[in-house]
Each structure stands twice: as structure tokens, then as C-alpha cells.
């Protein structure tokens, strides 16, 4: 399996622009997670989906952030409008099962820089 | 909420065994203990997971005492490529089967020649 695929790997944009990050989870996994990592705050869970349905979005920082999962093989995280403080590495992870001792498989991340 | 506490950093030398201890005093009955490894510019990678006693795989061993309030990740004979950040996590088991993982600051392990 190719693992979790994220695109783009790097994104540089200007403040106010819309940013869309993409994720393809591992085939057969029914849970998907979006994380953000910064030096100051570490690794934070933003939102998680189970069977394409958003279950917990309590980590989404504000209304500028939105996430969708239209099908089992694709998810997007959108920031509109972007701000410099959104600069971070965004990881997508998927898991083969929801309940119990789950194991998450992380993608390579998207490094976002907002100027 | 089961919070974890682990050393911020550790240093070791090639060929040595490294033990990283994590405390989780408020661990709940349903919680598993999971360790992840993260190299620079990469996403975290699952290393090992356990509930009690000892678990061993091809990468590491995990020791969990009977009270489960702490755990120790043991890396045998480390090499330079083991230099990474190691996270100890305890899942927060919520109604509906959701096991939410909370990442702390992790332990930065530096392996020297």
C-alpha cells in the first residue's frame, strides 16, 4: 500500500488567500484525522471523521477552517481566509478501526507558509 | 483525561539500550498505552502499543507495571537513525467508540556516535 497521501507537500501563500489541503487515506481505513503541528503548540488534533462523517471537530481553531470527506478515499482541509498564524505542518492520518486501541497511520504532511 | 509526563530530552550513544519512562497517573480502565516515533519532516509513526505487562515487537519493548500508572519504552542497541522524538500517548475513550489520542511534547532522543 502507498500509505496516506497528502498534497501538496509544500504550500506558500499570502494572507487572505484560500488554501486547500488534500488527503487520500489508506484504502480500507474508516477513520481519518487532521492534525496541525507547530513548535509552540506541538501536535494538535483538528478534526476526525468516521465512515466519512465528521465526529469531533472541537479542535478546529475557528470558522476559517473547514474539512470535508466526500467519500472514503478523499478528504480536504480548507482555510479561508488564511492568516500568518496558520503557518504549520498539517498532517492527515487514517486508522483501520474506530473503537478500542486504534493505530493511526500518518501521511508525510503539508508544510504551509502564510506570508 | 489521562495526561502523560515524559522527559523532554535524552542523550545516548550507539549500541546502548535506551529506556524512556512515561507517567500517566490518571489512566482509565479502557485506555491503551501507545508510543509513536517522529523523525524530522515526517509524520509520527506507530512503534508499539500495550495494555499491561510486557509487549515486544521487532522495534521495541514496552513495560507496563501492574498499576499501569507508568510505562517504559525500551529501545535495544540504538543507532544514529533512532534519533527522533518519541511520544507516549494514552487514548481518551469516549462514548461511541472514539479513542482520541492526545500528543504531548514528547521526548527528544539524540543518539551520538
Amino acid at each position: 500500500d502507498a500509505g496516506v497521501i497528502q498534497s501538496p507537500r509544500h504550500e506558500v501563500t499570502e494572507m487572505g488567500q484560500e488554501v486547500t489541503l488534500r488527503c487520500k487515506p489508506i484504502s480500507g481505513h474508516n477513520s481519518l484525522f487532521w492534525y496541525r503541528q507547530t513548535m509552540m503548540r506541538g501536535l494538535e488534533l483538528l478534526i476526525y471523521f468516521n465512515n466519512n462523517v465528521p465526529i469531533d471537530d472541537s479542535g478546529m481553531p475557528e470558522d476559517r477552517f473547514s474539512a470535508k470527506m466526500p467519500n472514503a478515499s478523499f478528504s480536504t482541509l480548507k482555510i479561508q481566509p488564511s492568516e500568518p498564524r496558520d503557518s504549520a505542518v498539517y498532517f492527515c492520518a487514517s486508522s483501520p478501526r474506530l473503537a478500542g486501541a486504534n493505530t493511526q497511520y500518518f501521511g508525510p504532511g503539508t508544510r504551509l507558509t502564510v506570508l | 483525561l489521562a495526561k502523560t509526563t515524559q522527559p523532554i530530552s535524552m542523550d545516548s550513544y550507539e549500541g546502548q539500550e535506551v529506556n524512556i519512562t512515561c507517567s500517566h497517573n490518571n489512566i482509565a480502565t479502557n485506555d491503551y498505552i501507545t508510543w509513536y516515533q517522529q523523525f524530522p519532516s515526517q509524520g509520527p509513526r506507530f512503534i508499539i502499543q500495550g495494555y499491561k505487562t510486557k509487549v515486544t515487537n521487532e522495534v521495541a519493548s514496552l513495560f507496563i507495571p501492574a498499576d499501569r500508572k507508568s510505562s517504559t519504552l525500551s529501545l535495544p542497541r540504538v543507532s544514529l537513525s533512532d534519533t527522533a522524538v518519541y511520544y507516549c500517548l494514552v487514548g481518551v475513550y469516549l462514548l461511541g467508540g472514539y479513542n482520541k489520542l492526545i500528543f504531548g511534547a514528547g521526548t527528544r532522543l539524540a543518539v551520538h556516535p
Side-chain angles (χ1 to χ4, degrees):
Chain A
D1 199 313
V4 175
I5 299 173
Q6 292 187 247
S7 64
R9 294 294 310 275
H10 302 273
E11 177 79 30
V12 179
T13 189
E14 293 187 345
M15 182 175 62
Q17 297 298 307
E18 177 181 292
V19 175
T20 299
L21 311 181
R22 298 173 176 79
C23 174
K24 176 179 170 56
I26 294 173
S27 178
H29 286 192
N30 63 345
S31 294
L32 183 139
F33 308 81
W34 281 101
Y35 289 86
R36 177 174 68 176
Q37 186 171 38
T38 62
M39 289 294 293
M40 291 297 295
R41 301 176 66 89
L43 198 62
E44 305 172 280
L45 176 65
L46 300 177
I47 187 170
Y48 113 90
F49 294 84
N50 183 48
N51 293 327
N52 311 337
V53 176
I55 303 299
D56 183 356
D57 65 355
S58 60
M60 296 287 264
E62 48 198 278
D63 292 343
R64 296 185 298 106
F65 286 70
S66 62
K68 294 181 180 180
M69 192 165 186
N71 56 62
S73 60
F74 184 66
S75 177
T76 60
L77 178 67
K78 183 178 294 186
I79 308 173
Q80 167 62 19
S82 58
E83 297 182 2
R85 59 190 168 128
D86 301 330
S87 296
V89 180
Y90 291 82
F91 290 104
C92 174
S94 69
S95 179
R97 57 183 174 177
L98 174 62
N102 63 331
T103 301
Q104 298 181 19
Y105 297 82
F106 283 75
T110 295
R111 182 173 296 276
L112 173 65
T113 302
V114 183
L115 302 175
Chain B
L1 184 65
K3 181 180 177 181
T4 60
T5 302
Q6 53 184 123
I8 294 175
S9 63
M10 294 182 67
D11 289 275
S12 184
Y13 293 90
E14 285 188 293
Q16 290 189 336
E17 178 184 74
V18 172
N19 295 309
I20 306 175
T21 297
C22 177
S23 66
H24 26 78
N25 292 320
N26 297 324
I27 190 169
T29 303
N30 291 335
D31 289 339
Y32 278 72
I33 300 156
T34 311
W35 286 79
Y36 280 78
Q37 174 192 56
Q38 186 176 25
F39 298 113
S41 301
Q42 294 186 26
R45 182 178 74 106
F46 170 86
I47 300 178
I48 197 167
Q49 184 169 247
Y51 184 80
K52 62 180 179 181
T53 62
K54 177 184 175 181
V55 180
T56 297
N57 61 24
E58 65 278 5
V59 177
S61 294
L62 179 59
F63 298 92
I64 306 169
D67 65 7
R68 303 198 332 119
K69 293 185 176 182
S70 66
S71 60
T72 299
L73 175 72
S74 181
L75 305 173
R77 301 182 59 78
V78 294
S79 64
L80 296 177
S81 62
D82 292 316
T83 294
V85 178
Y86 292 82
Y87 297 96
C88 166
L89 300 99
V90 173
V92 178
Y93 188 82
L94 304 176
L95 291 177
Y98 175 29
N99 198 30
K100 182 175 182 176
L101 298 181
I102 307 296
F103 283 83
T107 296
R108 291 186 176 276
L109 173 65
V111 180
H112 306 281

